[in-house]
Amino acid sequence: MKGRQVTIKDIAAELGISASTVSRALKDHPDISVETKKAVNELAEKLNYKPNVLALSLRQSRSKIIGVIIPELIHHFFSSVISGIDDLAYANGYSVMIAQSNESFEREVNETQVMLSSRVAGVLVSVSKKTKNFEHFQVLEDNGIPVVFFDRVSKEMKMDKVVVDDFDGAFKAVDYLIKTGCKRIAHYGTSMHLLIGKNRHNGYLHALFKNNIPIDDSLIFKCDDYDEAWYLTEKLIKSGNMPDGIFAVNDITAIGALQAVKHLGLRVPEDISIVGFTNGRISTMSDPPLTTIEQHGYEMGQIAVRILLNRLEKDEEEHEPETRVIKTDLIVRESTKQI
Amino acid sequence: MKGRQVTIKDIAAELGISASTVSRALKDHPDISVETKKAVNELAEKLNYKPNVLALSLRQSRSKIIGVIIPELIHHFFSSVISGIDDLAYANGYSVMIAQSNESFEREVNETQVMLSSRVAGVLVSVSKKTKNFEHFQVLEDNGIPVVFFDRVSKEMKMDKVVVDDFDGAFKAVDYLIKTGCKRIAHYGTSMHLLIGKNRHNGYLHALFKNNIPIDDSLIFKCDDYDEAWYLTEKLIKSGNMPDGIFAVNDITAIGALQAVKHLGLRVPEDISIVGFTNGRISTMSDPPLTTIEQHGYEMGQIAVRILLNRLEKDEEEHEPETRVIKTDLIVRESTKQI
DNA sequence: AACGTCATCGCAAACGTTTGCGAAATTCCC
DNA sequence: GGGAATTTCGCAAACGTTTGCGATGACGTT
């Protein structure tokens, strides 16, 4: 019952041989006779021996754990990414340690300390909204722990990144709105110090520009969650400054706007068209279903892992930071008009 | 740059004292003089020393990692649970290692091996739909790794569990449907070998019974996802065997049914009332918003951690498995009629 | 018979930390 | 000032594993 776990020594003792021999036998070292190997393997099987990865990691001072730091777990996009991370990590014999910062800078810093303490092989991170300083990640790199950022990244960090083509995605969304007849398109965006905020904003501007639509600052807002969107949309409509299209930085915000529009007795898309960003599960559940941008979270997770594993293999020599950009797709549903 | 990490020995060498002294100084052992402590702590700070938890875990053969095995990450309920787990684990100095089984029995078994290898302190698990055999979890217990199950549990396992009061939740849902005038209530349920499937089913039956409504087997189905629900609902309505209420085993299924009903030109809740289970994010996003059962995933995660930590503290002596039941709440929205 | 060649295995150190025990050095007490 | 008590620290072992090196025998070769 309540037992210690079986070790190599237990096997060695029971067989009357040394621990080294058992170790070598288990990994099919040529120095060991077939009979010994057979005996060792059989006993290991019988005792349900599992190598102690702690000891292993300690020995070669590198663990098979990938650390992941994200702002929030309860979020379709992030859980997609983690799912991609977990699947590929698992396929390569790595385990995944997660830590959510809950959008708190202090906790994010603390989590990097934990990663350091745990001697993880590498860290994948999407920074919190409050993070404007990246020293704690540099510390990881300085201690030999490679860091790969995904989605929420910043320009100033000279490290590996994998991001979605936010500019192009936003452009596609807004361009589509225009092509379906919208002329007064509002943008609900997130913090501009996050690249994703800035890039989506710029994509929005670029689409207007390309289509010769003047920029109207009274239609551009910092607004990135459900309740905010509801409130803002209601205010906007009642104020008389009503847009005929809304491009929101994510699906939740888009749906908040959508609900508010319907609540006021207006129709989507006839009166106001709406486009979100992410293509999460909810985008098919709203009424009407949401036109949005597919962000390929699962693939993003996988790519991040692949970049990390690559770095871990050829770990020496100076390394030139790489930025991978994932293309988005416009998913047309019924919250926008026909083209 | 590309450095090894700082160890206790580095500090000891630089200060010309022994590693033991540094170790004791760092944890404020009374045997060490104040000046030494001061010197050690300052240097540790300066060098950014972080204890190597691998070595620590190896030493006392127990790590500060909680393993979590779940069927699917991309799922509002499960990510809520993990979020609760992570927050409480973090507060108690533990890290969280996740592993998704993707509803595969083989992978679930493999993940338990990994947990064993990693010498995690304990494991929290929600079993896959395919799991009908629980030996792999018994192996964990036999090796001194406590296991706590949550949500998806089975009767035959004699271990700690934390579940939602599925019976009562289902009862509340169906009872409410009846009170609002429904007479022909369909049930879309999940596998009966999962306790949650059976209990919700029984809660459904009990509500019918209490209200003297005969059970109609032609209204009971195994159907637990979006597409299935859409298809089944459409078939059901067209076949003329139309229910006036639907109680679904989760929100996604409920919304699938809701969409199908609307698609056929019928109204929710006037023609058919619908109740889901979970109260996930999507339940507020549908049109009309979904009446559902709040399942308290975040709290469930926290309770699971608390049970585990309790066991880890007084780890000796035989332990009587405990089952914690979390009460549900009926959340009334607009997919049901007024009472 | 003397030597080299293999095949097979064990010793011991190392990874970073903790901790019981003992060893100095200092202080105290009478 | 002699002994005891106290303070402050170091030694070494241990956790489980890997691995360079050396050891032991059994052979085969001259």
Side-chain angles (χ1 to χ4, degrees), chain A residues 57-85:
Chain A
S57 303
L58 180 59
R59 176 108 224 288
Q60 42 218 41
S61 23
R62 60 197 307 238
S63 73
K64 297 276 268 181
I65 299 181
I66 295 178
V68 179
I69 301 179
I70 43 153
E72 260 189 315
L73 266 162
I74 314 184
H75 201 294
H76 178 87
F77 174 69
F78 285 124
S79 49
S80 308
V81 178
I82 299 183
S83 182
I85 291 173

PDB file of all heavy atoms in Angstrom, chain A residues 57-85:
ATOM      1  N   SER A  57      16.440  14.663 -13.989  1.00  0.00           N
ATOM      2  CA  SER A  57      16.564  16.082 -14.303  1.00  0.00           C
ATOM      3  C   SER A  57      17.706  16.704 -13.529  1.00  0.00           C
ATOM      4  O   SER A  57      18.476  17.504 -14.050  1.00  0.00           O
ATOM      5  CB  SER A  57      15.267  16.810 -13.967  1.00  0.00           C
ATOM      6  OG  SER A  57      14.186  16.254 -14.652  1.00  0.00           O
ATOM      7  N   LEU A  58      17.792  16.316 -12.275  1.00  0.00           N
ATOM      8  CA  LEU A  58      18.846  16.876 -11.436  1.00  0.00           C
ATOM      9  C   LEU A  58      20.208  16.522 -12.016  1.00  0.00           C
ATOM     10  O   LEU A  58      21.091  17.361 -12.149  1.00  0.00           O
ATOM     11  CB  LEU A  58      18.720  16.319 -10.019  1.00  0.00           C
ATOM     12  CG  LEU A  58      19.762  16.822  -9.033  1.00  0.00           C
ATOM     13  CD1 LEU A  58      19.686  18.333  -8.928  1.00  0.00           C
ATOM     14  CD2 LEU A  58      19.569  16.183  -7.676  1.00  0.00           C
ATOM     15  N   ARG A  59      20.324  15.265 -12.368  1.00  0.00           N
ATOM     16  CA  ARG A  59      21.606  14.789 -12.893  1.00  0.00           C
ATOM     17  C   ARG A  59      22.040  15.599 -14.104  1.00  0.00           C
ATOM     18  O   ARG A  59      23.131  16.146 -14.154  1.00  0.00           O
ATOM     19  CB  ARG A  59      21.471  13.319 -13.286  1.00  0.00           C
ATOM     20  CG  ARG A  59      22.690  12.731 -13.930  1.00  0.00           C
ATOM     21  CD  ARG A  59      23.359  11.775 -12.985  1.00  0.00           C
ATOM     22  NE  ARG A  59      24.794  11.923 -12.956  1.00  0.00           N
ATOM     23  CZ  ARG A  59      25.586  11.534 -13.954  1.00  0.00           C
ATOM     24  NH1 ARG A  59      25.094  11.025 -15.049  1.00  0.00           N
ATOM     25  NH2 ARG A  59      26.894  11.648 -13.842  1.00  0.00           N
ATOM     26  N   GLN A  60      21.189  15.667 -15.087  1.00  0.00           N
ATOM     27  CA  GLN A  60      21.625  16.383 -16.284  1.00  0.00           C
ATOM     28  C   GLN A  60      21.145  17.832 -16.302  1.00  0.00           C
ATOM     29  O   GLN A  60      21.074  18.447 -17.351  1.00  0.00           O
ATOM     30  CB  GLN A  60      21.197  15.648 -17.550  1.00  0.00           C
ATOM     31  CG  GLN A  60      19.805  15.096 -17.507  1.00  0.00           C
ATOM     32  CD  GLN A  60      19.753  13.735 -18.216  1.00  0.00           C
ATOM     33  OE1 GLN A  60      20.651  12.917 -18.068  1.00  0.00           O
ATOM     34  NE2 GLN A  60      18.717  13.516 -18.997  1.00  0.00           N
ATOM     35  N   SER A  61      20.861  18.321 -15.152  1.00  0.00           N
ATOM     36  CA  SER A  61      20.391  19.702 -14.964  1.00  0.00           C
ATOM     37  C   SER A  61      19.519  20.245 -16.098  1.00  0.00           C
ATOM     38  O   SER A  61      19.750  21.312 -16.623  1.00  0.00           O
ATOM     39  CB  SER A  61      21.548  20.662 -14.692  1.00  0.00           C
ATOM     40  OG  SER A  61      22.761  20.187 -15.166  1.00  0.00           O
ATOM     41  N   ARG A  62      18.560  19.478 -16.477  1.00  0.00           N
ATOM     42  CA  ARG A  62      17.538  19.955 -17.407  1.00  0.00           C
ATOM     43  C   ARG A  62      16.331  19.031 -17.315  1.00  0.00           C
ATOM     44  O   ARG A  62      16.440  17.816 -17.403  1.00  0.00           O
ATOM     45  CB  ARG A  62      18.050  20.005 -18.839  1.00  0.00           C
ATOM     46  CG  ARG A  62      18.512  18.665 -19.370  1.00  0.00           C
ATOM     47  CD  ARG A  62      19.375  18.814 -20.603  1.00  0.00           C
ATOM     48  NE  ARG A  62      18.718  19.611 -21.617  1.00  0.00           N
ATOM     49  CZ  ARG A  62      18.468  19.150 -22.847  1.00  0.00           C
ATOM     50  NH1 ARG A  62      18.775  17.930 -23.158  1.00  0.00           N
ATOM     51  NH2 ARG A  62      17.914  19.920 -23.745  1.00  0.00           N
ATOM     52  N   SER A  63      15.179  19.626 -17.135  1.00  0.00           N
ATOM     53  CA  SER A  63      13.996  18.805 -16.963  1.00  0.00           C
ATOM     54  C   SER A  63      13.249  18.691 -18.281  1.00  0.00           C
ATOM     55  O   SER A  63      13.565  19.351 -19.256  1.00  0.00           O
ATOM     56  CB  SER A  63      13.086  19.426 -15.917  1.00  0.00           C
ATOM     57  OG  SER A  63      12.472  20.576 -16.442  1.00  0.00           O
ATOM     58  N   LYS A  64      12.269  17.826 -18.299  1.00  0.00           N
ATOM     59  CA  LYS A  64      11.440  17.676 -19.487  1.00  0.00           C
ATOM     60  C   LYS A  64      10.088  18.323 -19.233  1.00  0.00           C
ATOM     61  O   LYS A  64       9.041  17.731 -19.460  1.00  0.00           O
ATOM     62  CB  LYS A  64      11.265  16.187 -19.797  1.00  0.00           C
ATOM     63  CG  LYS A  64      12.547  15.479 -20.137  1.00  0.00           C
ATOM     64  CD  LYS A  64      12.911  15.634 -21.592  1.00  0.00           C
ATOM     65  CE  LYS A  64      12.365  14.488 -22.413  1.00  0.00           C
ATOM     66  NZ  LYS A  64      12.720  14.602 -23.841  1.00  0.00           N
ATOM     67  N   ILE A  65      10.128  19.531 -18.734  1.00  0.00           N
ATOM     68  CA  ILE A  65       8.900  20.248 -18.445  1.00  0.00           C
ATOM     69  C   ILE A  65       8.882  21.569 -19.211  1.00  0.00           C
ATOM     70  O   ILE A  65       9.869  22.291 -19.237  1.00  0.00           O
ATOM     71  CB  ILE A  65       8.771  20.539 -16.935  1.00  0.00           C
ATOM     72  CG1 ILE A  65       8.748  19.234 -16.145  1.00  0.00           C
ATOM     73  CG2 ILE A  65       7.528  21.360 -16.650  1.00  0.00           C
ATOM     74  CD1 ILE A  65       8.611  19.430 -14.655  1.00  0.00           C
ATOM     75  N   ILE A  66       7.763  21.840 -19.839  1.00  0.00           N
ATOM     76  CA  ILE A  66       7.591  23.121 -20.507  1.00  0.00           C
ATOM     77  C   ILE A  66       6.658  23.973 -19.665  1.00  0.00           C
ATOM     78  O   ILE A  66       5.564  23.550 -19.326  1.00  0.00           O
ATOM     79  CB  ILE A  66       6.994  22.930 -21.913  1.00  0.00           C
ATOM     80  CG1 ILE A  66       7.980  22.170 -22.811  1.00  0.00           C
ATOM     81  CG2 ILE A  66       6.646  24.277 -22.539  1.00  0.00           C
ATOM     82  CD1 ILE A  66       7.455  21.892 -24.202  1.00  0.00           C
ATOM     83  N   GLY A  67       7.109  25.140 -19.307  1.00  0.00           N
ATOM     84  CA  GLY A  67       6.288  26.045 -18.513  1.00  0.00           C
ATOM     85  C   GLY A  67       5.440  26.923 -19.420  1.00  0.00           C
ATOM     86  O   GLY A  67       5.894  27.336 -20.481  1.00  0.00           O
ATOM     87  N   VAL A  68       4.213  27.176 -19.009  1.00  0.00           N
ATOM     88  CA  VAL A  68       3.335  28.049 -19.793  1.00  0.00           C
ATOM     89  C   VAL A  68       2.747  29.114 -18.878  1.00  0.00           C
ATOM     90  O   VAL A  68       2.156  28.788 -17.846  1.00  0.00           O
ATOM     91  CB  VAL A  68       2.186  27.252 -20.439  1.00  0.00           C
ATOM     92  CG1 VAL A  68       1.286  28.182 -21.230  1.00  0.00           C
ATOM     93  CG2 VAL A  68       2.725  26.153 -21.338  1.00  0.00           C
ATOM     94  N   ILE A  69       2.934  30.349 -19.242  1.00  0.00           N
ATOM     95  CA  ILE A  69       2.363  31.438 -18.452  1.00  0.00           C
ATOM     96  C   ILE A  69       1.350  32.190 -19.307  1.00  0.00           C
ATOM     97  O   ILE A  69       1.688  32.683 -20.375  1.00  0.00           O
ATOM     98  CB  ILE A  69       3.459  32.414 -17.987  1.00  0.00           C
ATOM     99  CG1 ILE A  69       4.498  31.674 -17.151  1.00  0.00           C
ATOM    100  CG2 ILE A  69       2.845  33.558 -17.181  1.00  0.00           C
ATOM    101  CD1 ILE A  69       5.636  32.563 -16.682  1.00  0.00           C
ATOM    102  N   ILE A  70       0.118  32.234 -18.836  1.00  0.00           N
ATOM    103  CA  ILE A  70      -0.927  32.924 -19.589  1.00  0.00           C
ATOM    104  C   ILE A  70      -1.739  33.803 -18.660  1.00  0.00           C
ATOM    105  O   ILE A  70      -1.756  33.604 -17.453  1.00  0.00           O
ATOM    106  CB  ILE A  70      -1.891  31.927 -20.244  1.00  0.00           C
ATOM    107  CG1 ILE A  70      -2.212  30.829 -19.238  1.00  0.00           C
ATOM    108  CG2 ILE A  70      -1.330  31.360 -21.510  1.00  0.00           C
ATOM    109  CD1 ILE A  70      -3.519  30.215 -19.485  1.00  0.00           C
ATOM    110  N   PRO A  71      -2.423  34.759 -19.241  1.00  0.00           N
ATOM    111  CA  PRO A  71      -3.200  35.688 -18.412  1.00  0.00           C
ATOM    112  C   PRO A  71      -4.411  35.003 -17.785  1.00  0.00           C
ATOM    113  O   PRO A  71      -4.706  35.216 -16.616  1.00  0.00           O
ATOM    114  CB  PRO A  71      -3.662  36.756 -19.402  1.00  0.00           C
ATOM    115  CG  PRO A  71      -2.756  36.627 -20.577  1.00  0.00           C
ATOM    116  CD  PRO A  71      -2.391  35.184 -20.640  1.00  0.00           C
ATOM    117  N   GLU A  72      -5.095  34.177 -18.547  1.00  0.00           N
ATOM    118  CA  GLU A  72      -6.346  33.614 -18.063  1.00  0.00           C
ATOM    119  C   GLU A  72      -6.594  32.251 -18.674  1.00  0.00           C
ATOM    120  O   GLU A  72      -6.484  32.074 -19.879  1.00  0.00           O
ATOM    121  CB  GLU A  72      -7.509  34.507 -18.504  1.00  0.00           C
ATOM    122  CG  GLU A  72      -8.016  35.438 -17.474  1.00  0.00           C
ATOM    123  CD  GLU A  72      -9.290  36.091 -17.972  1.00  0.00           C
ATOM    124  OE1 GLU A  72      -9.304  36.514 -19.154  1.00  0.00           O
ATOM    125  OE2 GLU A  72     -10.254  36.139 -17.216  1.00  0.00           O
ATOM    126  N   LEU A  73      -6.982  31.328 -17.842  1.00  0.00           N
ATOM    127  CA  LEU A  73      -7.267  29.990 -18.359  1.00  0.00           C
ATOM    128  C   LEU A  73      -8.652  29.909 -18.977  1.00  0.00           C
ATOM    129  O   LEU A  73      -8.864  29.260 -19.996  1.00  0.00           O
ATOM    130  CB  LEU A  73      -7.188  28.981 -17.212  1.00  0.00           C
ATOM    131  CG  LEU A  73      -5.847  28.290 -17.040  1.00  0.00           C
ATOM    132  CD1 LEU A  73      -5.740  27.667 -15.664  1.00  0.00           C
ATOM    133  CD2 LEU A  73      -5.705  27.224 -18.112  1.00  0.00           C
ATOM    134  N   ILE A  74      -9.602  30.573 -18.308  1.00  0.00           N
ATOM    135  CA  ILE A  74     -10.990  30.474 -18.759  1.00  0.00           C
ATOM    136  C   ILE A  74     -11.203  31.383 -19.942  1.00  0.00           C
ATOM    137  O   ILE A  74     -11.692  32.499 -19.813  1.00  0.00           O
ATOM    138  CB  ILE A  74     -11.962  30.889 -17.648  1.00  0.00           C
ATOM    139  CG1 ILE A  74     -11.548  30.232 -16.342  1.00  0.00           C
ATOM    140  CG2 ILE A  74     -13.373  30.469 -18.012  1.00  0.00           C
ATOM    141  CD1 ILE A  74     -12.489  30.512 -15.218  1.00  0.00           C
ATOM    142  N   HIS A  75     -10.854  30.899 -21.093  1.00  0.00           N
ATOM    143  CA  HIS A  75     -10.852  31.749 -22.261  1.00  0.00           C
ATOM    144  C   HIS A  75     -10.650  30.804 -23.433  1.00  0.00           C
ATOM    145  O   HIS A  75      -9.658  30.086 -23.491  1.00  0.00           O
ATOM    146  CB  HIS A  75      -9.674  32.720 -22.145  1.00  0.00           C
ATOM    147  CG  HIS A  75      -9.828  33.950 -22.990  1.00  0.00           C
ATOM    148  ND1 HIS A  75      -9.827  33.883 -24.356  1.00  0.00           N
ATOM    149  CD2 HIS A  75      -9.975  35.258 -22.655  1.00  0.00           C
ATOM    150  CE1 HIS A  75      -9.966  35.125 -24.823  1.00  0.00           C
ATOM    151  NE2 HIS A  75     -10.073  35.969 -23.816  1.00  0.00           N
ATOM    152  N   HIS A  76     -11.592  30.807 -24.316  1.00  0.00           N
ATOM    153  CA  HIS A  76     -11.525  29.824 -25.386  1.00  0.00           C
ATOM    154  C   HIS A  76     -10.188  29.847 -26.112  1.00  0.00           C
ATOM    155  O   HIS A  76      -9.569  28.812 -26.328  1.00  0.00           O
ATOM    156  CB  HIS A  76     -12.650  30.040 -26.390  1.00  0.00           C
ATOM    157  CG  HIS A  76     -12.610  29.086 -27.531  1.00  0.00           C
ATOM    158  ND1 HIS A  76     -13.209  27.853 -27.491  1.00  0.00           N
ATOM    159  CD2 HIS A  76     -12.002  29.159 -28.739  1.00  0.00           C
ATOM    160  CE1 HIS A  76     -12.979  27.221 -28.619  1.00  0.00           C
ATOM    161  NE2 HIS A  76     -12.255  27.985 -29.400  1.00  0.00           N
ATOM    162  N   PHE A  77      -9.747  31.032 -26.461  1.00  0.00           N
ATOM    163  CA  PHE A  77      -8.516  31.121 -27.237  1.00  0.00           C
ATOM    164  C   PHE A  77      -7.333  30.539 -26.475  1.00  0.00           C
ATOM    165  O   PHE A  77      -6.591  29.706 -27.001  1.00  0.00           O
ATOM    166  CB  PHE A  77      -8.228  32.566 -27.629  1.00  0.00           C
ATOM    167  CG  PHE A  77      -6.904  32.735 -28.302  1.00  0.00           C
ATOM    168  CD1 PHE A  77      -6.698  32.211 -29.573  1.00  0.00           C
ATOM    169  CD2 PHE A  77      -5.861  33.380 -27.672  1.00  0.00           C
ATOM    170  CE1 PHE A  77      -5.474  32.342 -30.202  1.00  0.00           C
ATOM    171  CE2 PHE A  77      -4.631  33.511 -28.287  1.00  0.00           C
ATOM    172  CZ  PHE A  77      -4.443  32.998 -29.555  1.00  0.00           C
ATOM    173  N   PHE A  78      -7.167  30.926 -25.237  1.00  0.00           N
ATOM    174  CA  PHE A  78      -6.021  30.444 -24.490  1.00  0.00           C
ATOM    175  C   PHE A  78      -6.083  28.948 -24.226  1.00  0.00           C
ATOM    176  O   PHE A  78      -5.071  28.250 -24.262  1.00  0.00           O
ATOM    177  CB  PHE A  78      -5.851  31.217 -23.178  1.00  0.00           C
ATOM    178  CG  PHE A  78      -5.297  32.593 -23.389  1.00  0.00           C
ATOM    179  CD1 PHE A  78      -5.964  33.706 -22.929  1.00  0.00           C
ATOM    180  CD2 PHE A  78      -4.107  32.766 -24.067  1.00  0.00           C
ATOM    181  CE1 PHE A  78      -5.460  34.981 -23.143  1.00  0.00           C
ATOM    182  CE2 PHE A  78      -3.582  34.037 -24.285  1.00  0.00           C
ATOM    183  CZ  PHE A  78      -4.262  35.151 -23.816  1.00  0.00           C
ATOM    184  N   SER A  79      -7.286  28.459 -23.967  1.00  0.00           N
ATOM    185  CA  SER A  79      -7.327  27.018 -23.739  1.00  0.00           C
ATOM    186  C   SER A  79      -7.063  26.261 -25.039  1.00  0.00           C
ATOM    187  O   SER A  79      -6.505  25.168 -25.011  1.00  0.00           O
ATOM    188  CB  SER A  79      -8.639  26.584 -23.067  1.00  0.00           C
ATOM    189  OG  SER A  79      -9.748  27.132 -23.714  1.00  0.00           O
ATOM    190  N   SER A  80      -7.392  26.853 -26.176  1.00  0.00           N
ATOM    191  CA  SER A  80      -7.023  26.228 -27.448  1.00  0.00           C
ATOM    192  C   SER A  80      -5.506  26.163 -27.580  1.00  0.00           C
ATOM    193  O   SER A  80      -4.942  25.134 -27.968  1.00  0.00           O
ATOM    194  CB  SER A  80      -7.537  27.033 -28.638  1.00  0.00           C
ATOM    195  OG  SER A  80      -8.901  27.286 -28.520  1.00  0.00           O
ATOM    196  N   VAL A  81      -4.870  27.260 -27.275  1.00  0.00           N
ATOM    197  CA  VAL A  81      -3.411  27.295 -27.392  1.00  0.00           C
ATOM    198  C   VAL A  81      -2.793  26.237 -26.486  1.00  0.00           C
ATOM    199  O   VAL A  81      -1.937  25.454 -26.904  1.00  0.00           O
ATOM    200  CB  VAL A  81      -2.860  28.684 -27.014  1.00  0.00           C
ATOM    201  CG1 VAL A  81      -1.346  28.678 -27.104  1.00  0.00           C
ATOM    202  CG2 VAL A  81      -3.438  29.755 -27.912  1.00  0.00           C
ATOM    203  N   ILE A  82      -3.247  26.204 -25.242  1.00  0.00           N
ATOM    204  CA  ILE A  82      -2.689  25.242 -24.302  1.00  0.00           C
ATOM    205  C   ILE A  82      -2.938  23.825 -24.776  1.00  0.00           C
ATOM    206  O   ILE A  82      -2.085  22.943 -24.643  1.00  0.00           O
ATOM    207  CB  ILE A  82      -3.312  25.427 -22.908  1.00  0.00           C
ATOM    208  CG1 ILE A  82      -2.994  26.824 -22.407  1.00  0.00           C
ATOM    209  CG2 ILE A  82      -2.755  24.393 -21.941  1.00  0.00           C
ATOM    210  CD1 ILE A  82      -3.489  27.072 -21.023  1.00  0.00           C
ATOM    211  N   SER A  83      -4.090  23.623 -25.353  1.00  0.00           N
ATOM    212  CA  SER A  83      -4.375  22.292 -25.866  1.00  0.00           C
ATOM    213  C   SER A  83      -3.354  21.912 -26.935  1.00  0.00           C
ATOM    214  O   SER A  83      -2.822  20.801 -26.936  1.00  0.00           O
ATOM    215  CB  SER A  83      -5.793  22.281 -26.428  1.00  0.00           C
ATOM    216  OG  SER A  83      -6.127  21.006 -26.900  1.00  0.00           O
ATOM    217  N   GLY A  84      -3.067  22.835 -27.832  1.00  0.00           N
ATOM    218  CA  GLY A  84      -2.058  22.580 -28.857  1.00  0.00           C
ATOM    219  C   GLY A  84      -0.696  22.342 -28.239  1.00  0.00           C
ATOM    220  O   GLY A  84       0.043  21.448 -28.648  1.00  0.00           O
ATOM    221  N   ILE A  85      -0.381  23.126 -27.245  1.00  0.00           N
ATOM    222  CA  ILE A  85       0.897  22.968 -26.553  1.00  0.00           C
ATOM    223  C   ILE A  85       0.981  21.589 -25.921  1.00  0.00           C
ATOM    224  O   ILE A  85       1.948  20.854 -26.104  1.00  0.00           O
ATOM    225  CB  ILE A  85       1.056  24.047 -25.456  1.00  0.00           C
ATOM    226  CG1 ILE A  85       1.234  25.423 -26.090  1.00  0.00           C
ATOM    227  CG2 ILE A  85       2.230  23.722 -24.551  1.00  0.00           C
ATOM    228  CD1 ILE A  85       1.220  26.578 -25.091  1.00  0.00           C
TER     229      ILE A  85
END
